Amino acid sequence: TAIFAGILFASCTKTEAHGDKEAERPLTAKEVAATAAESNILRASENRLTFSTKDLDGNTVTSEIFENYDVTLVNIWGTFCGPCKAELPHLEAAYKAYADKKVNVIGLTADLPEGDAETLALAKEIWKDAGCTFKALVTVDSFLPIYEQVAGFPTSFMVDKKGQLIPGTIHLGGLSKEGFEKLFDKALKAVASK
């Protein structure tokens, strides 16, 4: 099956503009996974992310949080995930840099179900060590269909004020501060053009 998937991924093409002529290159497995995840996340969330859960400090957080910002980056991470932990300081730096631009960030902690005190303590420690000030959320059932569609961790995507996925903003894998800022800019441009 893995060989078939590798052949399938290698056989896809993507057109990229180079000046005035078009060049085709194969899609990377990461690009194919992100494209597939985008269509599936849209379907799984019925085009809107809705939830009611707790943050790491036990405060109630609902999808109404999206209404206060033009765009929100949703970062799916896990306490078990090295690349997730490595990108957190970069995400925090980008979050702070865009604080005055109506951009928010929330983390969905994939391996933290309600009532898991041990993982909660670990998540709090990771959050503190990374210097994160944005909210990390406890997993609830409404997140599960989205988790089932992601190809790996970390996965980030952008939503608008209604919690709707902004097309073309899913990223699989870790990002630098600059990478997050590019994602923020792309999302802000998309909502400004609506």
Side-chain angles (χ1 to χ4, degrees):
T1 307
I3 294 171
F4 176 75
I7 292 169
L8 176 66
F9 289 156
S11 68
C12 297
T13 61
K14 178 179 178 182
T15 302
E16 280 190 331
H18 292 284
D20 61 344
K21 62 183 200 177
E22 301 273 305
E24 285 198 357
R25 69 169 174 80
L27 280 174
T28 65
K30 195 180 216 182
E31 290 169 328
V32 170
T35 300
E38 182 171 296
S39 64
N40 289 331
I41 285 174
L42 279 170
R43 202 171 10 221
S45 67
E46 296 178 9
N47 296 330
R48 187 166 189 264
L49 182 58
T50 58
F51 61 87
S52 179
T53 186
K54 304 278 185 195
D55 65 15
L56 296 183
D57 295 320
N59 302 307
T60 299
V61 180
T62 71
S63 47
E64 291 176 5
I65 194 171
F66 301 135
E67 296 170 5
N68 301 322
Y69 302 91
D70 290 338
V71 297
T72 299
L73 180 131
V74 179
N75 179 261
I76 303 173
W77 75 291
T79 62
F80 58 86
C81 171
C84 298
K85 293 183 270 190
E87 81 171 354
L88 288 174
H90 302 287
L91 181 50
E92 176 66 20
Y95 171 62
K96 285 181 176 172
Y98 277 65
D100 63 342
K101 297 182 181 181
K102 302 286 281 176
V103 173
N104 192 28
V105 173
I106 60 172
L108 307 185
T109 315
D111 61 332
L112 178 57
E114 292 177 285
D116 183 345
E118 185 177 329
T119 304
L120 176 61
L122 179 57
K124 285 182 174 183
E125 181 181 327
I126 292 167
W127 224 241
K128 181 181 175 194
D129 289 349
C132 292
T133 59
F134 57 90
K135 294 191 179 297
L137 308 180
V138 173
T139 287
V140 288
D141 288 346
S142 59
F143 296 158
L144 299 180
I146 294 169
Y147 294 166
E148 291 170 1
Q149 303 306 323
V150 299
F153 300 97
T155 293
S156 296
F157 59 91
M158 303 293 300
V159 297
D160 64 14
K161 287 179 170 286
K162 296 177 186 173
Q164 294 177 321
L165 177 69
I166 299 170
T169 64
I170 291 184
H171 180 83
L172 171 63
L175 284 167
S176 64
K177 176 181 181 270
E178 295 76 20
F180 283 116
E181 290 175 345
K182 285 179 183 176
L183 206 52
F184 294 165
D185 289 337
K186 185 176 189 175
L188 287 167
K189 184 177 178 182
V191 297
S193 67
K194 281 187 176 180

